[in-house]
C-alpha cells in the first residue's frame, strides 16, 4: 500500500447486513485520515480573516495610495537606520582627558630588541617615550616599523631609535624623503644612523656610519665636552662622563655641514685601536633644504647603547629640547608644557 498513489488508495468502510454481521466493502478513495485533511486545511486562519476584514475596511480607491505610502515609509526607516549605523561606525573615539590635542605630532620609529639585557631596548623606548612625550604635551604615534598610510602627512618630527635604520626599503626611503622635503624633522639616536650607504643617510641627518665596519668603542666611559654652551638645546648639559658607546669613522654631510653641540674623546678600547684619543662629535644639529623643498632639521644623539642613560636627567632634558627643535617648535615647548586640570576628579580612596 505504501507504493500506491493516493488516488488509487482504497477507502475502507463498514456496512451491516440483515443478519447483524459486518462486511468490509472497499472502493477507490483516500483513507479517512487523508480524507479529513481537506476539511482541516480549508478552515480560514484567524490572521487571514483579520487581514481580509482590514482590506475590506479600506475603500478600494485608497488602497493603492496607502500601499505606496507604506512602501515609502519602510524605505525611509531603512535609510535612517543605515545612516545611524554608518554614523556610529565612523564616529571618532573620545580623546583621553590627559592628552594635548594641539601638541606637536611625533612618530617614534622603533625596532626589535637587540644586544644584551639593558642595551638597544627599542621596544621599551617606544613604550616609555610615547608616555613621556604625551605627558609633555605631544601627540604621539609610533611602531616597530616605518610609518605608512599617510601618517607622516600630519607628523612634525620622526624619532628614529632602531638598529641600522639606514637600511630603507624603496617605500620607506620615498616616504622619508617626501617628509623631509616638506620640512619634517628627524631625530636620530645611537645606531639609527648605521646602514649600507652612509653618504646618502648623512644627507638626511648630517652624519652616518657604514654597517659592517669596526667604527665603535663598545661599552666604555664617554666623556662629554659641550662645544656650544649657548645652544638652548644644551641648556641642561654640562661636561660629564657616562658609560655608553661612541662612534668614529663617520661620513659627514657637506655644504651644509653639521653644527656640533658636544664632542667626546674616543676611549682606548680593543675595538677603538688607533682611534684612541680622537675627538669626534657625538651630539649635533643639521639644517638643510632639499631641492624644491622647505628647510628641514635633524638632531642627533649618538649614545643610547645603554638604555638606562635615557633616565639621566641631563640627557632627558636635552632630548626633549632637541625633539622640539627638530620639529621646528620653540625649543622649550615640551619642557614647559603644563597639562590642564583633569576633566574628571577621582573620588578619594578609589583606584584608577
Amino acid at each position: 500500500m505504501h507504493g500506491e498513489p493516493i488516488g488509487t488508495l482504497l477507502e475502507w468502510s463498514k456496512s451491516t447486513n440483515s443478519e447483524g454481521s459486518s462486511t468490509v466493502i472497499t472502493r477507490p478513495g483516500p483513507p479517512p485520515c487523508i480524507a479529513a485533511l481537506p476539511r482541516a486545511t480549508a478552515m480560514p486562519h484567524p490572521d487571514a480573516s483579520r487581514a481580509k476584514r482590514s482590506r475590506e475596511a479600506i475603500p478600494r480607491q485608497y488602497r493603492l495610495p496607502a500601499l505606496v505610502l507604506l512602501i515609502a515609509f519602510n524605505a525611509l526607516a531603512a535609510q535612517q537606520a543605515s545612516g545611524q549605523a554608518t554614523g556610529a561606525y565612523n564616529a571618532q573615539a573620545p580623546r583621553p582627558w590627559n592628552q594635548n590635542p594641539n601638541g606637536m605630532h611625533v612618530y617614534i620609529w622603533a625596532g626589535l630588541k637587540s644586544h644584551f639585557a639593558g642595551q638597544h631596548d627599542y621596544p621599551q623606548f617606544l613604550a616609555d617615550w610615547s608616555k613621556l612625550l604625551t605627558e609633555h604635551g605631544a601627540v604621539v604615534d609610533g611602531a616597530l616599523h616605518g610609518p605608512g598610510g599617510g601618517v607622516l602627512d600630519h607628523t612634525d618630527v620622526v624619532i628614529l631609535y632602531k638598529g641600522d635604520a639606514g637600511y630603507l626599503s624603496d617605500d620607506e626611503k620615498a616616504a622619508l624623503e617626501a617628509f623631509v622635503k616638506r620640512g619634517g624633522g628627524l631625530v636620530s639616536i645611537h645606531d639609527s644612523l648605521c646602514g649600507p650607504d652612509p653618504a646618502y643617510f648623512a644627507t638626511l641627518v648630517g652624519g652616518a656610519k657604514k654597517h659592517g665596519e669596526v667604527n665603535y668603542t663598545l661599552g666604555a666611559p664617554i666623556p662629554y665636552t659641550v662645544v656650544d654652551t649657548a645652544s638652548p638645546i644644551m641648556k641642561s648639559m654640562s661636561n660629564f662622563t657616562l658609560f655608553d658607546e661612541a662612534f668614529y669613522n663617520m661620513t659627514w654631510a657637506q655644504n651644509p655641514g653639521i653644527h656640533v653641540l658636544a664632542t667626546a674623546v674616543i676611549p682606548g678600547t680593543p675595538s677603538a685601536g688607533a682611534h684612541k684619543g680622537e675627538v669626534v662629535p657625538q651630539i649635533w644639529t643639521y639644517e638643510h633644504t632639499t631641492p624644491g623643498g622647505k628647510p628641514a632639521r635633524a638632531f642627533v644623539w649618538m649614545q643610547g647603547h645603554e638604555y638606562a642613560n635615557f633616565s639621566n636627567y641631563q640627557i632627558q632634558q636635552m632630548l626633549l629640547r632637541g625633539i622640539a627643535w627638530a620639529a621646528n617648535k620653540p625649543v622649550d615647548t615640551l619642557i614647559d608644557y603644563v597639562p590642564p586640570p583633569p576633566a574628571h576628579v577621582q573620588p578619594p580612596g578609589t583606584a584608577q
Side-chain angles (χ1 to χ4, degrees):
M1 179 177 290
H2 291 292
E4 295 292 337
I6 292 177
T8 60
L9 292 175
L10 298 180
E11 182 180 27
W12 295 82
S13 63
K14 288 184 179 181
S15 66
T16 304
N17 58 22
S18 57
E19 299 177 356
S21 61
S22 0
T23 304
V24 177
I25 303 174
T26 63
R27 64 179 180 183
C33 62
I34 297 178
L37 286 176
R39 293 192 295 273
T41 57
M43 295 177 63
H45 192 278
D47 290 342
S49 300
R50 286 195 295 269
K52 181 178 179 182
R53 290 195 300 271
S54 177
R55 288 195 301 270
E56 290 174 350
I58 302 175
R60 184 178 301 275
Q61 64 269 28
Y62 298 134
R63 291 178 186 175
L64 182 58
L67 180 60
V68 172
L69 287 174
L70 179 61
I71 294 174
F73 176 79
N74 288 337
L76 179 61
Q79 182 179 5
Q80 289 178 342
S82 175
Q84 291 173 354
T86 303
Y89 180 79
N90 293 329
Q92 294 294 322
R95 182 181 297 275
W97 60 265
N98 61 335
Q99 288 190 1
N100 175 21
N102 301 315
M104 71 179 71
H105 287 247
V106 180
Y107 186 90
I108 300 176
W109 186 352
L112 295 177
K113 170 79 174 71
S114 66
H115 290 62
F116 298 109
Q119 300 175 346
H120 293 230
D121 203 338
Y122 314 119
Q124 193 62 52
F125 177 84
L126 175 61
D128 292 342
W129 278 72
S130 61
K131 178 182 177 181
L132 177 67
L133 288 168
T134 298
E135 292 172 348
H136 282 271
V139 179
V140 185
D141 195 357
L144 302 180
H145 54 74
V151 170
L152 293 186
D153 294 344
H154 309 287
T155 298
D156 296 308
V157 59
V158 174
I159 301 175
L160 293 162
Y161 184 51
K162 66 186 298 288
D164 306 323
Y167 283 89
L168 298 169
S169 67
D170 291 340
D171 289 342
E172 291 169 343
K173 184 177 179 180
L176 271 186
E177 288 178 351
F179 174 67
V180 171
K181 186 173 183 177
R182 71 169 180 79
L186 295 177
V187 172
S188 177
I189 300 174
H190 198 47
D191 61 341
S192 298
L193 42 67
C194 182
D197 188 357
Y200 166 74
F201 206 72
T203 65
L204 298 177
V205 298
K209 71 183 187 73
K210 187 172 179 61
H211 180 79
E213 294 182 354
V214 179
N215 44 28
Y216 46 83
T217 63
L218 293 177
I222 309 300
Y224 282 133
T225 298
V226 178
V227 174
D228 186 358
T229 57
S231 169
I233 296 175
M234 308 301 287
K235 187 185 303 183
S236 301
M237 285 285 287
S238 61
N239 296 338
F240 72 99
T241 299
L242 78 166
F243 188 88
D244 207 279
E245 181 180 50
F247 299 141
Y248 53 88
N249 273 355
M250 299 290 296
T251 298
W252 301 107
Q254 304 294 328
N255 300 319
I258 66 170
H259 178 75
V260 181
L261 299 179
T263 61
V265 176
I266 299 300
T269 64
S271 59
H275 294 277
K276 175 185 176 181
E278 288 185 5
V279 178
V280 181
Q282 301 293 305
I283 307 171
W284 68 83
T285 60
Y286 178 58
E287 296 183 78
H288 66 115
T289 303
T290 59
K294 298 179 180 180
R297 293 176 168 184
F299 169 76
V300 177
W301 179 49
M302 276 216 290
Q303 278 59 67
H305 177 75
E306 299 288 338
Y307 188 72
N309 287 328
F310 285 100
S311 298
N312 181 291
Y313 177 79
Q314 293 193 58
I315 297 297
Q316 194 172 103
Q317 296 290 295
M318 175 200 66
L319 286 176
L320 289 172
R321 290 189 170 101
I323 293 167
W325 180 89
N328 208 19
K329 305 293 184 181
V331 75
D332 287 323
T333 298
L334 297 172
I335 296 288
D336 294 341
Y337 175 73
V338 177
H344 67 279
V345 178
Q346 188 74 16
T350 59
Q352 291 283 352

